[in-house]
Amino acid sequence: KTGYITYDPGFGNTGSCASAITFMDGERGILRYRGIPIEDLAENATFIETAYLLINGHLPTLNELNRTRVLLNDFSLIHESMQVFFQNFPRASHPMGILSGMIMALRSFYPDMGEEDINIHFLYLLSKVRTMAAMSYRMSRGEKVVYPRHDLSYCANFLNMMFDSPVHPYIVDEDLVRALNVFLILHADHEQNCSTSAVRVVGSSKAPLYASIAAGVSALWGPLHGGANQAVIEMLEKILKEGATIDEVIRRAKDRKDPFRLMGFGHRVYKTYDPRAKIIKKMCDKILEKLKIEDPLLDIAKKLEEVALTDPYFVDHNLYPNVDFYSGIVLRAMRIPTNMFPVMFAIGRLPGWIAQWKESMEDPSQRISRPRQIYTGLPQNPFQDIMER
Ligand code: SDX
C-alpha cells in the first residue's frame, strides 16, 4: 500500500498503518478527507455529507443524501428502556462516561440486527449517539427529554433536543446550525490519533463495532486529547477569575517544573497552525458578532495566542493553537455546557471512527493488534517461600 513510510499489517510493531481516508501534512498544515481539503468541506458541505464521504469514499449524490437523511430520521429514537439508564447515573457523572456506557448498551437493545447489516449499524450510531447526548443533558438537569423531529436536519434536531422547552420553544437559528455543522465537520476524522487508534485496536480483535466506538469515546475523554476543549475553557475561566497576566500564564506554561500546560496548544503531528483552528477562530468572531455576545474568554485566548506565537519557547517547540483552542468558545455561544464539549467532539469524530473501523475490517491483511515491548525487568530469579521473604 502506498502513502506511508512504514506499513505493518494490523498495527504490528510499528504502530502505523496504511489508510486511504484522511491525509495530514503536519509541516504544511494540510488536512484532506478523501482528498477534499478541509477548508472546502467546512465552506460548502454539511456534516452528514462529510460523514457519508468518510464512510463511503465519495460525496453522496442527491438521492444518496436524501436516502441517508430518511434513514437517520428513522433511526433517531432510542429504546424507551434506555431512559432508565440515564435516570440512574449519579447526577455528577461526566457525560463522556455516560456516552461510552450507553453506546456499549445500545448493541444489547438491537440484537436482531446481524453483522451483515453493518451499514445500518453505522447510521444507528450516527443518529442515536446524537439523541443520547441531548437526552443525557436534559436528564442531568431534571428536564423532560425532547424527542427528535422528522422535519429538522441532523444539527437542528440536536439543538432542538437540547434546548426546546414548553415555556421557551426553541427557535432554530440557521447560523448556529451552520456553525454546528462546521464544528462537527472539523472534528470528523484525523488519521491515526489516540482515539481512532483505540477504535482500530479494539476492532482488530473482532469485538463488536459498538465496543470499538465505546473505546474511542473513552480514549477521547482525556484532557490531552478530546477533553482539551473543556480544559481550555476551564483554563481561560481560571485566568479570568484569578486575573493572571498573559505573561504570567506563558511563564508558567514554559516552566518545566510546573505541570501547567497551555491547553489547546501543541500537537503530535501539526508543527504549524492546525488548519482547523484557523477555520474555527474565524467562526468565533462571526458567531459572537451575530449573537452580539461579548465573550471575555475569546479576548484572553487571542492575547495568549498573540504572545505565544512570538515566544521563543513556543516557536522552538513548534507549539501552535490546535482545534481545541477556540472550539470551546463556539460551543459556549451555542449554550452547550462545558462538560459536554468532549461529547460534541465525539459526535463529530464518530464518522471518522466508523470509516477507520470499516477500512480495517475490510483490509485482508488486518491482524490482531499485538505491539511488542523492550523488557526492562529482573533477570530470572528463584521463587521464595512466604516465610523467607
Ligand atoms: C487533539 O492526534 C490528533 O490528531 C489529536 C487531535 C484529533 O483531532 O484527534 O488533533 C485532537 O487531541 C488535539 C490536542 C489537544 N490537547 C491539548 O491541547 C493539550 C495540550 N497539548 C499538549 O498536552 C501536547 O502538545 C500534546 C499532547 C497535544 C502533544 O504532545 P506531544 O507532541 O507528545 O508533546 P510533548 O508532550 O512531548 O511535549 C514536547 C515539548 C515538551 O517540552 P520539553 O520537555 O521538550 O521541554 O513541548 C512542550 C512539552 O513540555 N509542550 C507544551 C505544550 N505541549 C507540549 N508546553 C506548554 N504547553 C503545551 N500545550
Side-chain angles (χ1 to χ4, degrees):
K1 293 191 173 176
T2 57
Y4 259 63
I5 300 160
T6 55
Y7 170 62
D8 196 289
F11 274 80
N13 302 327
T14 61
S16 65
C17 69
S19 173
I21 299 169
T22 292
F23 172 78
M24 282 174 72
D25 180 322
E27 300 303 324
R28 293 185 294 163
I30 293 172
L31 174 60
R32 300 184 198 128
Y33 297 161
R34 302 285 186 183
I36 301 177
I38 191 69
E39 294 80 6
D40 294 353
L41 289 164
E43 185 66 30
N44 306 298
T46 63
F47 172 59
I48 293 308
E49 282 180 286
T50 305
Y52 191 101
L53 167 71
L54 286 166
I55 295 169
N56 299 290
H58 61 87
L59 284 169
T61 62
L62 187 57
N63 282 345
E64 289 166 337
L65 184 58
N66 287 337
R67 172 153 168 68
T68 303
R69 282 183 180 138
V70 166
L71 289 171
L72 288 172
N73 177 58
D74 290 351
F75 301 152
S76 54
L77 294 169
I78 64 168
H79 197 293
E80 285 293 305
S81 313
M82 291 193 87
Q83 290 196 30
V84 172
F85 287 13
F86 289 117
Q87 284 151 5
N88 289 289
F89 275 106
R91 279 281 166 268
S93 306
H94 193 287
M96 285 295 266
I98 296 174
L99 184 65
S100 184
M102 293 301 281
I103 287 172
M104 201 63 108
L106 200 54
R107 186 69 185 90
S108 317
F109 280 87
Y110 302 98
D112 51 343
M113 226 175 24
E115 290 314 314
E116 64 284 358
D117 304 312
I118 198 66
N119 288 308
I120 297 290
H121 283 295
F122 295 159
L123 295 169
Y124 260 46
L125 277 163
L126 281 175
S127 195
K128 293 179 192 297
V129 165
R130 170 209 43 185
T131 302
M132 291 196 299
M135 279 191 175
S136 157
Y137 168 69
R138 300 285 295 202
M139 290 202 161
S140 70
R141 295 162 55 87
E143 292 170 356
K144 196 169 165 305
V145 297
V146 173
Y147 285 86
R149 282 175 30 186
H150 68 87
D151 59 328
L152 292 180
S153 69
Y154 185 91
C155 287
N157 240 323
F158 174 75
L159 292 171
N160 186 62
M161 286 192 275
M162 286 283 287
F163 302 117
D164 188 39
S165 121
V167 291
H168 292 294
Y170 183 74
I171 313 289
V172 174
D173 176 327
E174 287 308 331
D175 288 310
L176 281 185
V177 171
R178 184 64 210 146
L180 182 54
N181 270 287
V182 174
F183 174 92
L184 296 175
I185 288 167
L186 294 178
H187 289 79
D189 193 48
H190 216 230
E191 198 219 68
Q192 305 311 316
N193 57 84
C194 176
S195 53
T196 298
S197 303
V199 168
R200 279 181 173 256
V201 165
V202 172
S204 74
S205 76
K206 302 290 183 230
L209 166 66
Y210 292 73
S212 292
I213 301 298
V217 172
S218 303
L220 188 72
W221 191 352
L224 296 188
H225 191 14
N229 52 22
Q230 176 178 350
V232 167
I233 293 298
E234 288 164 353
M235 173 187 75
L236 296 173
E237 283 172 336
K238 196 160 177 282
I239 293 168
L240 181 64
K241 189 162 156 252
E242 290 173 356
T245 64
I246 298 296
D247 290 342
E248 171 58 17
V249 173
I250 296 291
R251 187 198 61 73
R252 280 196 62 196
K254 299 190 294 186
D255 179 355
R256 301 301 307 115
K257 290 187 287 304
D258 188 324
F260 175 79
R261 279 276 173 99
L262 193 56
M263 302 311 278
F265 257 74
H267 199 273
R268 253 296 197 248
V269 176
Y270 291 127
K271 298 310 167 191
T272 182
Y273 215 106
D274 180 335
R276 304 167 298 176
K278 280 185 191 158
I279 296 168
I280 216 151
K281 181 181 174 186
K282 269 193 217 121
M283 202 160 78
C284 282
D285 291 328
K286 201 169 148 213
I287 208 84
L288 295 186
E289 192 193 331
K290 158 82 176 52
L291 296 174
K292 297 182 181 39
I293 297 174
E294 292 282 319
D295 190 342
L297 301 190
L298 180 58
D299 300 336
I300 298 173
K302 285 183 173 177
K303 286 195 190 101
L304 272 174
E305 175 189 337
E306 194 185 319
V307 174
L309 291 188
T310 53
D311 181 284
Y313 175 89
F314 282 78
V315 174
D316 294 349
H317 285 82
N318 295 311
L319 300 176
Y320 293 84
N322 58 53
V323 67
D324 294 300
F325 193 59
Y326 287 105
S327 60
I329 306 278
V330 172
L331 295 175
R332 270 161 62 90
M334 291 179 200
R335 296 192 293 134
I336 291 170
T338 309
N339 69 353
M340 268 196 75
F341 288 8
V343 170
M344 300 309 295
F345 194 143
I347 295 172
R349 186 51 52 89
L350 198 48
W353 288 334
I354 290 171
Q356 299 269 354
W357 180 91
K358 180 169 179 271
E359 183 180 68
S360 64
M361 291 302 123
E362 290 169 351
D363 178 353
S365 65
Q366 166 71 35
R367 296 159 69 196
I368 187 167
S369 168
R370 181 51 173 94
R372 292 306 310 276
Q373 64 174 22
I374 295 168
Y375 178 68
T376 57
L378 291 171
Q380 183 177 349
N381 62 87
F383 176 81
Q384 277 180 309
D385 185 82
I386 185 101
M387 300 314 288
E388 292 163 13
R389 290 174 206 160

